[in-house]
Amino acid sequence: MKNICYFITRFIYVQFTNTVNLLLKLMPICCIIRIKIFLILSLCAFPIFSLSQTVITGNVKNIKGEYVSATVTVQSQGSVAISGFTSTNDVGNYSLTYKGTADSIIITVSGINIGKHQKTVTNRSAQVDFIIDEKPLMIKEATVAAQKIQQTGDTLNYNVGSYKDQNDRVIGDVLKKLPGIEVDLNGRITYNGKGINKFYVENLDLLQGRYGIATNNIPAEHVSTIQILENHQPIKALKDRVFSDNAAINLKLKDKAKGTLSINALAGAGYEPILWQAELVAMYFAQIMQNMSTYKGNNSGYDVAGEFRTHYDYERVYMNPGGMLSVQMPNSPPIALKRYFVNNSHAATVNHLFKLGNEQQLSINALYYTDYIKKNSYSLYEQYLPDDSVLDIEERINSTNRIHNAEMAVRLNLNTNNNYINNALNIKGNWDSDNALGTTLSRFNNINESILQHLDKPFFSADYTFSLIKNLKNNFYSAYFSAGYGNRPHSLNVKPANYFNRSDLSAATQYATLRDFSSVFRIAYGMKIKKINADYAVWGRADIKNLDTELQYITTANLAETADSLKNNIYYNTYQTGITQNYSYKTDVFRATLNIPLTYNIFVTEDRIPYNFQRHVKLAFYPSLTLSYDLTGRLTISTSGKIDKSFGGINSSYTGYIMQNYRSLLKNTFDKLFETKSESINASLVYRDAFNSLFINASMGYNHSTKNLLYGYDYLGILSVKTTIDKPVKSNGYNVNFSLNKGLSFMSGTLRLSGGYSNTKSDILVQDEILNYRSQIYNARGSINFGLFSFFAIDYSLGWNMNKSYVIGKQERFPAIRGLSQSLKIGMSFTKTFSAHINGEYNYNNSTAERSTTFADAGLKLKTKKCDFELELNNLFNSKYYISASYSDISAYYYRYNLRPRSVLMKIRFKLL
């Protein structure tokens, strides 16, 4: 046994050493020394396991020499227990791992059309091929339940009927139950801890990352299978060149849902207050065309815009709609949106995809969303100061948000094994505004003011992207171009403004317009040498930004005052060019990827108030390495390391004051380029056993960063003023996370467990004093859903978290904040057409006066031939407030959020086509 363990460990070491030597031969000599040091650091995080295992590979053909699709299992001789299983791939190959100690093992090949075939072999790694005489597998007449999960190569197939119950209306309800799959509150889907990179319906990406439209509208009864495509590379021309460890989801529809136009509608009304809800959803899925068009509106607390979130995107220049100005209002509480969301929402989207050929597609996606949102809350902000005093700010705020958002995207795409072309155009416009009226109190400097805030924040952007990849035998060529423009003319008005240490001010208005143009061009060449892929790229990028701001004071005499110190007109231009080298090595069980980008940066700043011109030139080197080893076919260990460097932007370059919100003034006091250097190392262990519905993911990470400037705040009463000192500062942190998903076949359910810990150390600047800050966050969560009987289902979850933030030497001033949450949902199906559910939630926080909040809801559903009736009863206990607390650096934040009252909503769903 010791010799076997030594042999395996030695094999891993030799494999990695040979890989590194081959990669180094292809690199420029100037990079070798730095890369060797980097590889050694990364290897420190790579765990080496010595395991005894037998690997059986082989091929399955019929007597005609044709490849056969079959299930292959391995078991110890004399045992009925299956030790491992797999399926043959498209060319009849398979690979199995056996970890037992039996002298002999049995390899079994079976399938409906080929019968059952076995071979007994010695327990050692070998190739076992099968040439079989096809004949149907004869079984006695019986009722056979479909297998919940089946695996074929890198594809997992979840049988929807095995997880669906009567209360599951859309496919998103089923996705939340599947072992290995998680769906968070924002609708983002992860598989075994990693976000999916594509969401297909019948192998077509209709929605371009906005898959919430599908998960919240496609009926569960229309889907036969949910496929997980592991290690999915969306660009076929890069399939064997660029490895992906992300998965994709593909929905396989039932025949009745294909080639048929389906239109469903909903109408609902209720009280308190007067409530309404309306929906119209049209769907068409065929081989050459797909369409999903929806309208949704309500004032009953449902977030219709949540379906429009983009969870993945193609590579492009992206214009961020966010601005520099904001209205001060409390954060949203960490509970279900329908508890507090007072809205009047309307949202419509049209998504259409044409197949112009076997591999060519044209997609058009358009949406419009408008909303009027009301919020009412109380908050207490406590900022701890170095002299042991506390700045307290109490705010009682009523706010409204008006949202108008329109977007359109057109994409023409060719995706074959040898050619990839992507043409894409995106246009987006927002016309949003925020209003807030509230009372601000502070004992720190005896402030008691009623303050009105108004923010206009329109935004417009457009971007175009062209991408080309061409494969020629073992070589490939690519070209990429993307350009975009964005404009954000924002303005913030605050009344009164006498807390600016002037008693004659009635208002302050901040104007801020940010214009941004960016473009990227890249050409690349790649070649394949045996098992090594080497890619080389030359690229350039230009970012042209202009920030034009002015802060005006309005006196009680209605006179406008400003000064150069309250203005900015700055151009911040970044020009980059670089050479990128990517090397990858891949075998059946081992993968290594090494990226070596070298970038030449030119930063040009032209400040016109007052005039100041600066030019900085920086050469940056950002190597990264990823290693992955498949130990058993089910267990994969991997590690990655990265060195990164970033430089300041326009937000760290302007020198005139900007009123970010009514109690925050920003400016930069140093003409020095802000620089951040960081190093990170991560390691992970991923286990997946589809046969036993077991999925495990464990990871750990460490990061260290160094900044050449330290930013902080000085507090002048309730007003915080940004300040900077010329001092290098270091920070570091590490984290550990774990998750487990286990399907419960005997109860048709899923058990989920997860937990995490993070620790951060850094320095912060408060009142010109440097403080040593520490943060520790713990979290744990467990959930289980199962069906006791065919008519009774339970879904229970329990979550716990603890937050400890403090300054070294003053830990007693920062007691730990602990939170606990529980939820229970019970579903009952009395008949095939009549069902009910009741659910409750309990939330606890140890740092508030009212430490707990409890919610309860209930619902009834009745199905008829023509329509479905749904009755919702929300907030049965009529809870008025949600109260919570949290830390941010060395400040504490307590808030009380007003909730929606007890309500009843009657809905009717009916099918128009």
Side-chain angles (χ1 to χ4, degrees), residues 72-181:
V72 187
T73 63
V74 61
Q75 63 195 88
S76 303
Q77 186 176 28
S79 172
V80 297
I82 301 297
S83 300
F85 82 102
T86 189
S87 299
T88 57
N89 61 17
D90 295 338
V91 294
N93 293 329
Y94 73 89
S95 178
L96 273 173
T97 300
Y98 174 75
K99 295 173 59 178
T101 58
D103 294 332
S104 299
I105 55 178
I106 300 174
I107 310 300
T108 303
V109 173
S110 61
I112 294 296
N113 296 319
I114 64 173
K116 187 175 182 180
H117 308 266
Q118 292 184 334
K119 286 187 179 182
T120 301
V121 298
T122 304
N123 181 13
R124 64 184 179 188
S125 297
Q127 180 166 333
V128 181
D129 297 329
F130 287 81
I131 299 177
I132 59 178
D133 184 8
E134 292 184 283
K135 57 182 178 180
L137 181 64
M138 304 301 294
I139 59 175
K140 296 181 180 180
E141 183 177 349
T143 299
V144 180
Q147 188 174 340
K148 288 187 174 185
I149 306 177
Q150 292 182 333
Q151 181 179 358
T152 303
D154 281 344
T155 301
L156 296 184
N157 297 280
Y158 291 85
N159 182 278
V160 172
S162 299
Y163 294 93
K164 176 181 173 295
D165 63 41
Q166 194 166 315
N167 286 304
D168 297 329
R169 186 179 60 83
V170 294
I171 195 61
D173 298 329
V174 180
L175 276 166
K176 295 174 183 178
K177 298 180 178 181
L178 304 184
I181 294 177

Side-chain angles (χ1 to χ4, degrees), residues 738 752-756 779-783 797-800 821-823:
F738 170 81
R752 290 182 169 89
L753 301 173
S754 63
N779 69 82
R781 185 170 184 83
S783 68
S797 67
L798 171 66
W800 172 85
S821 62
Q822 297 183 76
S823 68

